[in-house]
Amino acid sequence: MRKPKFQCPTGMHDILPEEQKYYKKIYDIVSDIADFYGFGKIDTPILEETELFSKGVGLATDIVKKQMYSLKTKGGDFLSLRPEWTAPVVRAYIENGMQNLPQPLKLWYFGPCYRYERPQANRYRQFWQFGFEVLGEKSPVIDAQIIQIFYNILRELKLKNLIVEVNSIGDSNCRPYYKKLLANYFRTREASLCVDCKKRLRENVLRILDCKGEKCQPIKAEAPQILDHLCEECHLHFKEVLEFLDEIEIPYNLNPYLVRGLDYYTKTVFEIFSGSSEKKESSRIALAGGGRYDKLVKLLGGKETSACGAAIGIERIINLMKSQQIKQGDKETETQIFLAQLGGLSKRKSLKLLEDFRKAKIRVAESFGRDSLKAQLSRADKIGARYALILGQKESLEEMIIIRNMKSGKQEIVKLNRVVAEMRKKLKK
Ligand code: HAM
């Protein structure tokens, strides 16, 4: 087939009607959980000042260096499509005076993000995220609760083989010393590092720990570990997070190499993967990522405020739901009745009847554009309707309607004004 003249931009996709049920299912579960835990929903503009991200997410991160969709407006403003939500949410928190409300403030969101990445499976240029942020609370119980919420959402979506990995990357007290130690270590082995890690050594040494390349693995394995170099406060905080996780029975692995790709984190970081633990690290799919970010609010111009949160990639979950064959066929939303009509009077009566079914909250499919009964019944068959209601010219005149059982072929005739009640009874059986 010839390619159409216009196509979706690379790495982006349409969300067609048959896909929408996945988004809806996820939205419904997430919004219920958000309600339960007292999170309020927030929407922010898709565009933000570019500097919000270069400052918030970090100049040396891949996101800011390579992946932003940035533009200059006619008025001369430099804006970028949001590559993530945390910096915009913090901007809104400061700008709308939410720091003066009773704390902690809990916010959640659900919407698209944009990153100019190399498209591949599970990596898109437009992808949807939902996330939860808790602002104004420094207790480690929140770190554990955020992990619990994300784990439970994925469990509720019936996803299997979930792996939670946690680490602490310290704070401005202990991380600078650790980074120096790490840089010294890698410098003596620079010749054996991959090309990217040679660059990381100069720009962001922590990211070497994140390298998935074969060549760097043996060098990483011998590197000093942050958990041995945390200051007392970070050490205690992390210990308590793990104790809470034990208490609420969330299974987790400690991963000393987990450093995350965004610069705002302090103390706890975590990711949730899908895949078996024996699988190679590079073949696992990161579903959720997050952690504590106690310095971001101040960095973006607000008061010193502790915070913690995480986000999930929605397409990645949907791909997994499909590959794990998690059915979305919600019985209640399946259409079990098809209304077929023959001729002008029947068509008019059918329009009215359809309204009666809608008011009774019973789903009915139709194909009013077609006139042949054969075509309409074959459509009823296609959508898997259990019953077809047939309104012919004769029935219309007599205020009657035929109910046809699509499986057995048996037919009965009832009064038109009784058919809604009759169908309700049948559907309950
Ligand atoms: P992130 O790890 O960059 O963190 O993204 C979170 C999740 O979004 C990932 O685990 C992944 O599922 C999904 N994701 C990221 N990039 C792509 C992509 N190109 N295509 C498809 N899915 C993708 C953040 O964005 C932080 N804001 C999370 C956070 C919230 N930290 C604290 N609060």
PDB file of all heavy atoms in Angstrom, residues 84 86 109 115 117 122-124 127 129 133 260 262 264-265 286-291 293 309-313 316, ligand 1:
ATOM      1  N   GLU A  84       8.111  16.247  31.110  1.00  0.00           N
ATOM      2  CA  GLU A  84       7.679  15.582  32.343  1.00  0.00           C
ATOM      3  C   GLU A  84       6.834  16.581  33.133  1.00  0.00           C
ATOM      4  O   GLU A  84       6.764  17.761  32.774  1.00  0.00           O
ATOM      5  CB  GLU A  84       8.894  15.121  33.149  1.00  0.00           C
ATOM      6  CG  GLU A  84       9.819  16.256  33.577  1.00  0.00           C
ATOM      7  CD  GLU A  84       9.676  16.600  35.052  1.00  0.00           C
ATOM      8  OE1 GLU A  84       9.712  15.688  35.868  1.00  0.00           O
ATOM      9  OE2 GLU A  84       9.513  17.799  35.374  1.00  0.00           O
ATOM     10  N   THR A  86       6.808  17.013  36.811  1.00  0.00           N
ATOM     11  CA  THR A  86       7.159  17.440  38.171  1.00  0.00           C
ATOM     12  C   THR A  86       7.512  18.922  38.230  1.00  0.00           C
ATOM     13  O   THR A  86       7.003  19.652  39.098  1.00  0.00           O
ATOM     14  CB  THR A  86       8.294  16.565  38.734  1.00  0.00           C
ATOM     15  OG1 THR A  86       7.936  15.204  38.522  1.00  0.00           O
ATOM     16  CG2 THR A  86       8.503  16.810  40.216  1.00  0.00           C
ATOM     17  N   TYR A 109      -1.861  13.920  38.304  1.00  0.00           N
ATOM     18  CA  TYR A 109      -2.062  14.392  36.932  1.00  0.00           C
ATOM     19  C   TYR A 109      -2.106  13.213  35.969  1.00  0.00           C
ATOM     20  O   TYR A 109      -1.685  12.102  36.311  1.00  0.00           O
ATOM     21  CB  TYR A 109      -0.930  15.364  36.533  1.00  0.00           C
ATOM     22  CG  TYR A 109       0.443  14.866  36.914  1.00  0.00           C
ATOM     23  CD1 TYR A 109       1.136  13.959  36.108  1.00  0.00           C
ATOM     24  CD2 TYR A 109       1.039  15.293  38.098  1.00  0.00           C
ATOM     25  CE1 TYR A 109       2.387  13.502  36.469  1.00  0.00           C
ATOM     26  CE2 TYR A 109       2.297  14.838  38.470  1.00  0.00           C
ATOM     27  CZ  TYR A 109       2.961  13.942  37.654  1.00  0.00           C
ATOM     28  OH  TYR A 109       4.198  13.468  38.031  1.00  0.00           O
ATOM     29  N   ARG A 115       9.151  13.941  24.411  1.00  0.00           N
ATOM     30  CA  ARG A 115      10.615  13.839  24.464  1.00  0.00           C
ATOM     31  C   ARG A 115      11.111  13.408  23.091  1.00  0.00           C
ATOM     32  O   ARG A 115      10.637  12.397  22.559  1.00  0.00           O
ATOM     33  CB  ARG A 115      11.061  12.806  25.519  1.00  0.00           C
ATOM     34  CG  ARG A 115      10.709  13.206  26.936  1.00  0.00           C
ATOM     35  CD  ARG A 115      11.272  12.239  27.971  1.00  0.00           C
ATOM     36  NE  ARG A 115      10.665  12.507  29.269  1.00  0.00           N
ATOM     37  CZ  ARG A 115      10.870  11.793  30.368  1.00  0.00           C
ATOM     38  NH1 ARG A 115      11.702  10.770  30.332  1.00  0.00           N
ATOM     39  NH2 ARG A 115      10.275  12.119  31.496  1.00  0.00           N
ATOM     40  N   GLU A 117      13.115  11.476  21.533  1.00  0.00           N
ATOM     41  CA  GLU A 117      13.988  10.325  21.732  1.00  0.00           C
ATOM     42  C   GLU A 117      14.066   9.531  20.445  1.00  0.00           C
ATOM     43  O   GLU A 117      13.266   9.726  19.536  1.00  0.00           O
ATOM     44  CB  GLU A 117      13.400   9.410  22.802  1.00  0.00           C
ATOM     45  CG  GLU A 117      13.168  10.100  24.118  1.00  0.00           C
ATOM     46  CD  GLU A 117      13.272   9.152  25.294  1.00  0.00           C
ATOM     47  OE1 GLU A 117      14.328   8.514  25.445  1.00  0.00           O
ATOM     48  OE2 GLU A 117      12.308   9.067  26.057  1.00  0.00           O
ATOM     49  N   ASN A 122       8.243   0.784  23.194  1.00  0.00           N
ATOM     50  CA  ASN A 122       8.047   1.389  24.522  1.00  0.00           C
ATOM     51  C   ASN A 122       8.720   2.747  24.728  1.00  0.00           C
ATOM     52  O   ASN A 122       8.815   3.231  25.845  1.00  0.00           O
ATOM     53  CB  ASN A 122       8.508   0.442  25.629  1.00  0.00           C
ATOM     54  CG  ASN A 122       7.532  -0.679  25.833  1.00  0.00           C
ATOM     55  OD1 ASN A 122       6.341  -0.434  25.995  1.00  0.00           O
ATOM     56  ND2 ASN A 122       8.018  -1.894  25.779  1.00  0.00           N
ATOM     57  N   ARG A 123       9.243   3.305  23.676  1.00  0.00           N
ATOM     58  CA  ARG A 123       9.860   4.638  23.785  1.00  0.00           C
ATOM     59  C   ARG A 123       9.277   5.516  22.687  1.00  0.00           C
ATOM     60  O   ARG A 123       9.474   5.247  21.509  1.00  0.00           O
ATOM     61  CB  ARG A 123      11.375   4.499  23.623  1.00  0.00           C
ATOM     62  CG  ARG A 123      12.157   5.692  24.139  1.00  0.00           C
ATOM     63  CD  ARG A 123      13.641   5.429  24.116  1.00  0.00           C
ATOM     64  NE  ARG A 123      14.067   4.503  25.155  1.00  0.00           N
ATOM     65  CZ  ARG A 123      14.174   4.813  26.438  1.00  0.00           C
ATOM     66  NH1 ARG A 123      13.874   6.021  26.845  1.00  0.00           N
ATOM     67  NH2 ARG A 123      14.581   3.927  27.312  1.00  0.00           N
ATOM     68  N   TYR A 124       8.522   6.511  23.078  1.00  0.00           N
ATOM     69  CA  TYR A 124       7.818   7.336  22.099  1.00  0.00           C
ATOM     70  C   TYR A 124       8.206   8.796  22.255  1.00  0.00           C
ATOM     71  O   TYR A 124       8.795   9.189  23.257  1.00  0.00           O
ATOM     72  CB  TYR A 124       6.299   7.206  22.295  1.00  0.00           C
ATOM     73  CG  TYR A 124       5.836   5.776  22.333  1.00  0.00           C
ATOM     74  CD1 TYR A 124       5.565   5.142  23.541  1.00  0.00           C
ATOM     75  CD2 TYR A 124       5.725   5.043  21.160  1.00  0.00           C
ATOM     76  CE1 TYR A 124       5.170   3.813  23.580  1.00  0.00           C
ATOM     77  CE2 TYR A 124       5.325   3.715  21.184  1.00  0.00           C
ATOM     78  CZ  TYR A 124       5.054   3.103  22.406  1.00  0.00           C
ATOM     79  OH  TYR A 124       4.670   1.791  22.434  1.00  0.00           O
ATOM     80  N   PHE A 127       4.130  10.586  24.721  1.00  0.00           N
ATOM     81  CA  PHE A 127       3.643   9.485  25.554  1.00  0.00           C
ATOM     82  C   PHE A 127       2.872  10.096  26.712  1.00  0.00           C
ATOM     83  O   PHE A 127       3.055  11.254  27.055  1.00  0.00           O
ATOM     84  CB  PHE A 127       4.800   8.626  26.070  1.00  0.00           C
ATOM     85  CG  PHE A 127       5.801   9.402  26.897  1.00  0.00           C
ATOM     86  CD1 PHE A 127       5.739   9.393  28.284  1.00  0.00           C
ATOM     87  CD2 PHE A 127       6.784  10.153  26.288  1.00  0.00           C
ATOM     88  CE1 PHE A 127       6.642  10.121  29.044  1.00  0.00           C
ATOM     89  CE2 PHE A 127       7.692  10.894  27.048  1.00  0.00           C
ATOM     90  CZ  PHE A 127       7.618  10.876  28.423  1.00  0.00           C
ATOM     91  N   GLN A 129       1.621  10.230  30.676  1.00  0.00           N
ATOM     92  CA  GLN A 129       2.057   9.879  32.038  1.00  0.00           C
ATOM     93  C   GLN A 129       0.920  10.171  32.993  1.00  0.00           C
ATOM     94  O   GLN A 129       0.154  11.112  32.791  1.00  0.00           O
ATOM     95  CB  GLN A 129       3.210  10.785  32.486  1.00  0.00           C
ATOM     96  CG  GLN A 129       4.591  10.315  32.136  1.00  0.00           C
ATOM     97  CD  GLN A 129       5.689  11.128  32.847  1.00  0.00           C
ATOM     98  OE1 GLN A 129       5.417  12.139  33.495  1.00  0.00           O
ATOM     99  NE2 GLN A 129       6.916  10.670  32.729  1.00  0.00           N
ATOM    100  N   GLU A 133       2.230  13.648  43.287  1.00  0.00           N
ATOM    101  CA  GLU A 133       3.270  14.429  43.965  1.00  0.00           C
ATOM    102  C   GLU A 133       2.746  14.838  45.339  1.00  0.00           C
ATOM    103  O   GLU A 133       1.609  15.300  45.457  1.00  0.00           O
ATOM    104  CB  GLU A 133       3.628  15.701  43.166  1.00  0.00           C
ATOM    105  CG  GLU A 133       3.858  15.513  41.668  1.00  0.00           C
ATOM    106  CD  GLU A 133       5.167  14.812  41.303  1.00  0.00           C
ATOM    107  OE1 GLU A 133       6.025  14.607  42.186  1.00  0.00           O
ATOM    108  OE2 GLU A 133       5.311  14.443  40.116  1.00  0.00           O
ATOM    109  N   ARG A 260      18.531   7.414  38.444  1.00  0.00           N
ATOM    110  CA  ARG A 260      17.506   8.216  37.761  1.00  0.00           C
ATOM    111  C   ARG A 260      18.136   9.253  36.837  1.00  0.00           C
ATOM    112  O   ARG A 260      19.251   9.701  37.045  1.00  0.00           O
ATOM    113  CB  ARG A 260      16.550   8.893  38.752  1.00  0.00           C
ATOM    114  CG  ARG A 260      15.948   7.961  39.756  1.00  0.00           C
ATOM    115  CD  ARG A 260      14.707   7.285  39.266  1.00  0.00           C
ATOM    116  NE  ARG A 260      13.657   8.207  38.929  1.00  0.00           N
ATOM    117  CZ  ARG A 260      13.007   8.187  37.762  1.00  0.00           C
ATOM    118  NH1 ARG A 260      13.314   7.314  36.841  1.00  0.00           N
ATOM    119  NH2 ARG A 260      12.053   9.041  37.525  1.00  0.00           N
ATOM    120  N   LEU A 262      17.023  12.330  36.065  1.00  0.00           N
ATOM    121  CA  LEU A 262      16.653  13.739  36.268  1.00  0.00           C
ATOM    122  C   LEU A 262      17.416  14.229  37.504  1.00  0.00           C
ATOM    123  O   LEU A 262      17.614  13.471  38.451  1.00  0.00           O
ATOM    124  CB  LEU A 262      15.137  13.879  36.486  1.00  0.00           C
ATOM    125  CG  LEU A 262      14.267  13.278  35.378  1.00  0.00           C
ATOM    126  CD1 LEU A 262      13.824  11.863  35.700  1.00  0.00           C
ATOM    127  CD2 LEU A 262      13.024  14.127  35.136  1.00  0.00           C
ATOM    128  N   TYR A 264      16.782  16.412  39.918  1.00  0.00           N
ATOM    129  CA  TYR A 264      16.218  17.015  41.138  1.00  0.00           C
ATOM    130  C   TYR A 264      16.127  16.096  42.342  1.00  0.00           C
ATOM    131  O   TYR A 264      15.708  16.519  43.411  1.00  0.00           O
ATOM    132  CB  TYR A 264      14.855  17.666  40.868  1.00  0.00           C
ATOM    133  CG  TYR A 264      13.842  16.873  40.058  1.00  0.00           C
ATOM    134  CD1 TYR A 264      13.332  15.664  40.501  1.00  0.00           C
ATOM    135  CD2 TYR A 264      13.370  17.388  38.851  1.00  0.00           C
ATOM    136  CE1 TYR A 264      12.373  14.977  39.765  1.00  0.00           C
ATOM    137  CE2 TYR A 264      12.414  16.710  38.107  1.00  0.00           C
ATOM    138  CZ  TYR A 264      11.923  15.502  38.570  1.00  0.00           C
ATOM    139  OH  TYR A 264      10.979  14.824  37.846  1.00  0.00           O
ATOM    140  N   TYR A 265      16.505  14.842  42.199  1.00  0.00           N
ATOM    141  CA  TYR A 265      16.270  13.918  43.310  1.00  0.00           C
ATOM    142  C   TYR A 265      17.234  14.089  44.472  1.00  0.00           C
ATOM    143  O   TYR A 265      18.413  14.428  44.287  1.00  0.00           O
ATOM    144  CB  TYR A 265      16.310  12.473  42.808  1.00  0.00           C
ATOM    145  CG  TYR A 265      15.166  12.153  41.881  1.00  0.00           C
ATOM    146  CD1 TYR A 265      15.372  11.974  40.516  1.00  0.00           C
ATOM    147  CD2 TYR A 265      13.860  12.064  42.361  1.00  0.00           C
ATOM    148  CE1 TYR A 265      14.319  11.705  39.664  1.00  0.00           C
ATOM    149  CE2 TYR A 265      12.802  11.801  41.509  1.00  0.00           C
ATOM    150  CZ  TYR A 265      13.037  11.614  40.181  1.00  0.00           C
ATOM    151  OH  TYR A 265      11.992  11.357  39.333  1.00  0.00           O
ATOM    152  N   ALA A 286      11.023  -0.191  32.323  1.00  0.00           N
ATOM    153  CA  ALA A 286      10.712   0.662  33.473  1.00  0.00           C
ATOM    154  C   ALA A 286       9.298   1.194  33.305  1.00  0.00           C
ATOM    155  O   ALA A 286       8.995   1.872  32.327  1.00  0.00           O
ATOM    156  CB  ALA A 286      11.697   1.809  33.569  1.00  0.00           C
ATOM    157  N   LEU A 287       8.421   0.857  34.242  1.00  0.00           N
ATOM    158  CA  LEU A 287       7.035   1.318  34.150  1.00  0.00           C
ATOM    159  C   LEU A 287       6.852   2.617  34.917  1.00  0.00           C
ATOM    160  O   LEU A 287       6.185   3.538  34.463  1.00  0.00           O
ATOM    161  CB  LEU A 287       6.098   0.265  34.743  1.00  0.00           C
ATOM    162  CG  LEU A 287       6.140  -1.115  34.109  1.00  0.00           C
ATOM    163  CD1 LEU A 287       5.256  -2.070  34.879  1.00  0.00           C
ATOM    164  CD2 LEU A 287       5.682  -1.025  32.661  1.00  0.00           C
ATOM    165  N   ALA A 288       7.439   2.662  36.115  1.00  0.00           N
ATOM    166  CA  ALA A 288       7.256   3.839  36.981  1.00  0.00           C
ATOM    167  C   ALA A 288       8.606   4.292  37.504  1.00  0.00           C
ATOM    168  O   ALA A 288       9.520   3.484  37.660  1.00  0.00           O
ATOM    169  CB  ALA A 288       6.361   3.472  38.157  1.00  0.00           C
ATOM    170  N   GLY A 289       8.728   5.582  37.759  1.00  0.00           N
ATOM    171  CA  GLY A 289       9.959   6.105  38.339  1.00  0.00           C
ATOM    172  C   GLY A 289       9.649   7.300  39.197  1.00  0.00           C
ATOM    173  O   GLY A 289       8.707   8.049  38.921  1.00  0.00           O
ATOM    174  N   GLY A 290      10.415   7.464  40.263  1.00  0.00           N
ATOM    175  CA  GLY A 290      10.185   8.637  41.104  1.00  0.00           C
ATOM    176  C   GLY A 290      11.116   8.689  42.279  1.00  0.00           C
ATOM    177  O   GLY A 290      12.114   7.971  42.321  1.00  0.00           O
ATOM    178  N   GLY A 291      10.775   9.518  43.229  1.00  0.00           N
ATOM    179  CA  GLY A 291      11.594   9.649  44.421  1.00  0.00           C
ATOM    180  C   GLY A 291      11.358  10.975  45.106  1.00  0.00           C
ATOM    181  O   GLY A 291      10.412  11.708  44.790  1.00  0.00           O
ATOM    182  N   TYR A 293      12.384  14.831  46.246  1.00  0.00           N
ATOM    183  CA  TYR A 293      13.072  15.981  45.634  1.00  0.00           C
ATOM    184  C   TYR A 293      12.948  17.186  46.560  1.00  0.00           C
ATOM    185  O   TYR A 293      12.195  18.100  46.330  1.00  0.00           O
ATOM    186  CB  TYR A 293      12.564  16.238  44.200  1.00  0.00           C
ATOM    187  CG  TYR A 293      11.073  16.332  44.047  1.00  0.00           C
ATOM    188  CD1 TYR A 293      10.420  17.572  44.034  1.00  0.00           C
ATOM    189  CD2 TYR A 293      10.287  15.192  43.909  1.00  0.00           C
ATOM    190  CE1 TYR A 293       9.046  17.656  43.897  1.00  0.00           C
ATOM    191  CE2 TYR A 293       8.907  15.271  43.778  1.00  0.00           C
ATOM    192  CZ  TYR A 293       8.295  16.501  43.773  1.00  0.00           C
ATOM    193  OH  TYR A 293       6.933  16.598  43.640  1.00  0.00           O
ATOM    194  N   GLY A 309       7.481  12.151  44.873  1.00  0.00           N
ATOM    195  CA  GLY A 309       6.451  11.777  43.899  1.00  0.00           C
ATOM    196  C   GLY A 309       6.972  10.768  42.898  1.00  0.00           C
ATOM    197  O   GLY A 309       8.119  10.309  42.992  1.00  0.00           O
ATOM    198  N   ALA A 310       6.134  10.428  41.942  1.00  0.00           N
ATOM    199  CA  ALA A 310       6.523   9.477  40.907  1.00  0.00           C
ATOM    200  C   ALA A 310       5.557   9.571  39.736  1.00  0.00           C
ATOM    201  O   ALA A 310       4.490  10.184  39.852  1.00  0.00           O
ATOM    202  CB  ALA A 310       6.520   8.056  41.465  1.00  0.00           C
ATOM    203  N   ALA A 311       5.965   8.970  38.608  1.00  0.00           N
ATOM    204  CA  ALA A 311       5.093   8.953  37.425  1.00  0.00           C
ATOM    205  C   ALA A 311       5.215   7.618  36.700  1.00  0.00           C
ATOM    206  O   ALA A 311       6.226   6.916  36.829  1.00  0.00           O
ATOM    207  CB  ALA A 311       5.457  10.101  36.487  1.00  0.00           C
ATOM    208  N   ILE A 312       4.170   7.333  35.931  1.00  0.00           N
ATOM    209  CA  ILE A 312       4.111   6.073  35.180  1.00  0.00           C
ATOM    210  C   ILE A 312       3.886   6.379  33.706  1.00  0.00           C
ATOM    211  O   ILE A 312       3.150   7.316  33.372  1.00  0.00           O
ATOM    212  CB  ILE A 312       2.952   5.190  35.715  1.00  0.00           C
ATOM    213  CG1 ILE A 312       3.425   4.405  36.935  1.00  0.00           C
ATOM    214  CG2 ILE A 312       2.414   4.257  34.639  1.00  0.00           C
ATOM    215  CD1 ILE A 312       2.462   3.342  37.404  1.00  0.00           C
ATOM    216  N   GLY A 313       4.510   5.602  32.840  1.00  0.00           N
ATOM    217  CA  GLY A 313       4.301   5.737  31.399  1.00  0.00           C
ATOM    218  C   GLY A 313       3.099   4.901  30.987  1.00  0.00           C
ATOM    219  O   GLY A 313       3.112   3.671  31.113  1.00  0.00           O
ATOM    220  N   ARG A 316       3.386   2.239  28.124  1.00  0.00           N
ATOM    221  CA  ARG A 316       4.127   1.036  28.536  1.00  0.00           C
ATOM    222  C   ARG A 316       3.221   0.072  29.280  1.00  0.00           C
ATOM    223  O   ARG A 316       3.327  -1.140  29.129  1.00  0.00           O
ATOM    224  CB  ARG A 316       5.310   1.440  29.423  1.00  0.00           C
ATOM    225  CG  ARG A 316       6.370   2.141  28.624  1.00  0.00           C
ATOM    226  CD  ARG A 316       7.659   2.307  29.373  1.00  0.00           C
ATOM    227  NE  ARG A 316       8.553   3.113  28.558  1.00  0.00           N
ATOM    228  CZ  ARG A 316       9.759   3.481  28.925  1.00  0.00           C
ATOM    229  NH1 ARG A 316      10.229   3.115  30.100  1.00  0.00           N
ATOM    230  NH2 ARG A 316      10.510   4.204  28.112  1.00  0.00           N
TER     231      ARG A 316
HETATM  232  P1  HAM B   1      10.801   9.371  34.211  1.00  0.00           P
HETATM  233  O1  HAM B   1      11.499   8.145  34.751  1.00  0.00           O
HETATM  234  O2  HAM B   1      11.556  10.184  33.247  1.00  0.00           O
HETATM  235  O3  HAM B   1      10.384  10.233  35.468  1.00  0.00           O
HETATM  236  O4  HAM B   1       9.433   8.944  33.541  1.00  0.00           O
HETATM  237  C1  HAM B   1       8.477   8.172  34.255  1.00  0.00           C
HETATM  238  C2  HAM B   1       7.935   7.069  33.386  1.00  0.00           C
HETATM  239  O5  HAM B   1       7.453   7.610  32.149  1.00  0.00           O
HETATM  240  C3  HAM B   1       8.957   6.029  32.957  1.00  0.00           C
HETATM  241  O6  HAM B   1       9.142   5.030  33.957  1.00  0.00           O
HETATM  242  C4  HAM B   1       8.308   5.452  31.707  1.00  0.00           C
HETATM  243  O7  HAM B   1       7.331   4.490  32.049  1.00  0.00           O
HETATM  244  C5  HAM B   1       7.606   6.664  31.115  1.00  0.00           C
HETATM  245  N1  HAM B   1       8.395   7.214  29.992  1.00  0.00           N
HETATM  246  C6  HAM B   1       9.447   8.040  30.046  1.00  0.00           C
HETATM  247  N2  HAM B   1       9.894   8.328  28.811  1.00  0.00           N
HETATM  248  C7  HAM B   1       9.102   7.665  27.942  1.00  0.00           C
HETATM  249  C8  HAM B   1       9.031   7.552  26.518  1.00  0.00           C
HETATM  250  N3  HAM B   1       9.862   8.203  25.723  1.00  0.00           N
HETATM  251  N4  HAM B   1       8.071   6.778  25.979  1.00  0.00           N
HETATM  252  C9  HAM B   1       7.184   6.113  26.767  1.00  0.00           C
HETATM  253  N5  HAM B   1       7.199   6.178  28.116  1.00  0.00           N
HETATM  254  C10 HAM B   1       8.136   6.948  28.690  1.00  0.00           C
HETATM  255  C11 HAM B   1       9.698  11.414  35.396  1.00  0.00           C
HETATM  256  O8  HAM B   1       9.191  11.855  34.404  1.00  0.00           O
HETATM  257  C12 HAM B   1       9.542  12.103  36.731  1.00  0.00           C
HETATM  258  N6  HAM B   1       8.826  13.351  36.529  1.00  0.00           N
HETATM  259  C13 HAM B   1       8.812  11.198  37.712  1.00  0.00           C
HETATM  260  C14 HAM B   1       8.615  11.846  39.046  1.00  0.00           C
HETATM  261  C15 HAM B   1       7.466  12.393  39.502  1.00  0.00           C
HETATM  262  N7  HAM B   1       9.535  12.010  39.984  1.00  0.00           N
HETATM  263  C16 HAM B   1       9.008  12.653  41.012  1.00  0.00           C
HETATM  264  N8  HAM B   1       7.760  12.890  40.726  1.00  0.00           N
END
